[in-house]
Each structure stands twice: as structure tokens, then as C-alpha cells.
Amino acid sequence: MRALLDHEARAMLGALNFGRLGCVDHGEPYVVPINYVFDDESIYSHSLPGRKIDAMRAHPRACLQVDKIENDLEWRSVIAYGNFEEIRGPGDRRSILGKLLARFPLLTPVESAMVRDAAAPDSIVFRIIVDRITGVEEE
Amino acid sequence: MRALLDHEARAMLGALNFGRLGCVDHGEPYVVPINYVFDDESIYSHSLPGRKIDAMRAHPRACLQVDKIENDLEWRSVIAYGNFEEIRGPGDRRSILGKLLARFPLLTPVESAMVRDAAAPDSIVFRIIVDRITGVEEE
């Protein structure tokens, strides 16, 4: 098992678009699968209101874990850590939802409507401002 | 999106053997892929010493998230929550490592040696005593 170099870990985070978001809800870890885009500084995603948003509003420290598992002996896993921030400006919301839609054409009709009307109050657009990335691989 | 019934969530947790362990390290969420077995009460796994073991010794609350993702619109995700407990008795260690080995024939030679010599101090055998399971699906 070896630690990935910083550029290897970043490249993997940028190449993938699906991972598990970890956050802390009243001291309890909470992990959920999310789609995301990474621009080398922040991880962008969106969500309906719910437990993960409530948790990160109260405790902004979060992480995103991604992996490529070939089998038990050949795998890579990367974790990016950072602080949660909501994107509230309508222009920024529209721009980020547009990037997410370009990456995830299977967004539901509700989500596609959110891109057209980024002011829709139900959609939470957020980013994790990444300040640390670590990765390991076994091969 | 609908909530899974308790027996559906338990069945999925029992059928799978790979998931993401979430724990809390000094207030920061930490997520790592693990192999496990679930006996309907506890999630069993093992690990070399390291960050996740240190984190759970200090803050025993943990979760395991598993999912089956067909695509962005068809997926299931289950989370089991519970408290970390180390298994220290040599007999219990041997029994649990044996079950893990039966399930994961790709264990490394080092790990197979641990099954034969469960007293080896390097291997940490642990369980998460599950007290809550939730699941959702979109289909």
C-alpha cells in the first residue's frame, strides 16, 4: 500500500464524478452517495433540503471519499476534506447547476427545471472548499 | 424516492460485503472503504492499526454506508449506525477472522496468517454494534 502523490489524488478526484460525502450530525458520522464536480479548488454539488444539509450547516467540516476498486488487492481511495459553503447568488447557482447538468445528463426533470430557474428555493447548491487531499492505493 | 422497510435495508446489508465506514476524528468526518460481514446484529471487520481505529477508539460512534447504484435514477443506499467495540479474546478473534476469510478469499498472505495466529498483535478485529438502520431507494 502506498500513499498517492498530491497530483495523482487530485487527478482521480477530477476524473470521477461520484463519491461518498461524509459529514457529522450531532457527533454521529453520516455518509451519503453524491454526484459532484471538482474544479481543483472546490467540490460542487446540490441537494434538496435534508439531513446532510442540516448537518453541514451546523458542522461545516465535511469530506468526500472516492475510490476505484478492481478487487480486494487492487484499489485506490482518495479523500478530500474541507468546509461546507452554500452558494446563494442566483448567477452562481445557475452557473454551477449548469455544470452539474452538463456532467449528469440523467438529472431528473425537477432538477433540470432548477437549472432553468436557479432561484427555485428548494434546491441547495453548495461547495466543499477543499483544504486537504489524501489518497492510498494497493496494486 | 422512498424509504426502505427495515427488513429490506437489513437484507441489503447482509447480502453485500463491501461498504464505506464513516467515523469522526477530532470532529472531522473520515470515510474509508471496508470489507465486512453482518450477522443481523453487528458489522464485523478487521484492520491494521491506523487512523480509523484511533478515531473509533476515541469516538466510538460509527456508521457503515452501502449502496447499489444502477444509474443516477435507479439506486439504493443503506446506512447502519452503531458503536465500535474491539474484539480482544483470542477465540472470538479467530472465529471472526475465519468468517471474514471465508467471505474474502483474496485476503493477503499476511491476513491469512493472522487467521491462523489470531493472537498476532497487529490485527485489530472489531465490530459495530448496530442500533439503527435506514435506507432509501429511487427506481
Side-chain angles (χ1 to χ4, degrees):
Chain A
M1 204 157 84
R2 77 169 180 98
L4 296 180
L5 299 174
D6 183 70
H7 77 268
E8 294 173 318
R10 285 179 178 275
M12 182 165 151
L13 201 59
L16 299 179
N17 52 45
F18 173 77
R20 277 82 186 176
L21 177 76
C23 55
V24 181
D25 183 16
H26 295 90
E28 184 172 75
Y30 183 51
V31 178
V32 283
I34 65 164
N35 285 322
Y36 71 92
V37 292
F38 176 58
D39 71 358
D40 213 47
E41 287 189 357
S42 291
I43 290 155
Y44 293 90
S45 191
H46 72 110
S47 170
L48 292 176
R51 187 175 176 201
K52 68 173 172 288
I53 298 296
D54 292 344
M56 291 189 294
R57 281 174 174 163
H59 184 104
R61 196 70 186 160
C63 71
L64 180 79
Q65 184 267 336
V66 297
D67 50 48
K68 283 183 73 172
I69 311 281
E70 301 298 330
N71 58 55
D72 285 2
L73 297 180
E74 291 173 89
W75 52 268
R76 268 183 180 208
S77 176
V78 165
I79 310 184
Y81 302 88
N83 289 321
F84 168 81
E85 184 182 81
E86 276 181 67
I87 310 291
R88 297 176 184 278
D92 289 341
R93 286 168 53 87
R94 191 174 299 112
S95 156
I96 292 164
L97 283 169
K99 282 179 198 165
L100 288 165
L101 180 64
R103 193 76 177 264
F104 308 111
L106 284 175
L107 287 184
T108 63
V110 170
E111 292 174 309
S112 301
M114 293 192 313
V115 176
R116 290 192 301 274
D117 180 12
D122 277 343
S123 65
I124 313 290
V125 180
F126 65 92
R127 64 174 174 164
I128 309 295
I129 306 167
V130 174
D131 53 45
R132 193 164 98 254
I133 299 182
T134 65
V136 290
E137 75 171 356
E138 190 163 1
E139 59 176 2
Chain B
M1 203 159 83
R2 77 168 180 97
L4 296 181
L5 299 174
D6 183 69
H7 77 268
E8 294 174 318
R10 284 179 179 276
M12 181 165 151
L13 201 59
L16 299 179
N17 53 44
F18 173 76
R20 276 82 185 176
L21 177 76
C23 55
V24 181
D25 182 16
H26 295 90
E28 183 171 74
Y30 182 51
V31 178
V32 283
I34 65 165
N35 285 322
Y36 72 92
V37 293
F38 176 58
D39 71 358
D40 212 48
E41 287 189 356
S42 291
I43 290 156
Y44 294 90
S45 191
H46 72 111
S47 171
L48 292 176
R51 187 176 176 200
K52 69 172 172 286
I53 298 296
D54 293 344
M56 291 189 293
R57 281 174 175 163
H59 184 104
R61 196 70 186 160
C63 71
L64 181 78
Q65 184 266 338
V66 298
D67 50 47
K68 283 182 75 171
I69 312 281
E70 301 297 331
N71 58 56
D72 285 3
L73 297 180
E74 292 173 88
W75 53 268
R76 269 184 178 206
S77 176
V78 166
I79 310 184
Y81 301 89
N83 290 321
F84 168 81
E85 183 182 81
E86 276 181 67
I87 310 290
R88 295 175 185 278
D92 289 342
R93 286 168 54 87
R94 192 173 299 113
S95 156
I96 292 163
L97 283 169
K99 282 179 198 166
L100 289 165
L101 180 63
R103 194 76 177 265
F104 308 111
L106 283 176
L107 288 184
T108 62
V110 170
E111 292 174 310
S112 302
M114 293 194 312
V115 176
R116 292 192 301 273
D117 178 13
D122 277 342
S123 64
I124 314 288
V125 180
F126 65 91
R127 63 173 175 166
I128 308 297
I129 306 166
V130 174
D131 54 45
R132 193 165 97 254
I133 300 183
T134 64
V136 290
E137 74 171 357
E138 190 164 1
E139 58 177 4

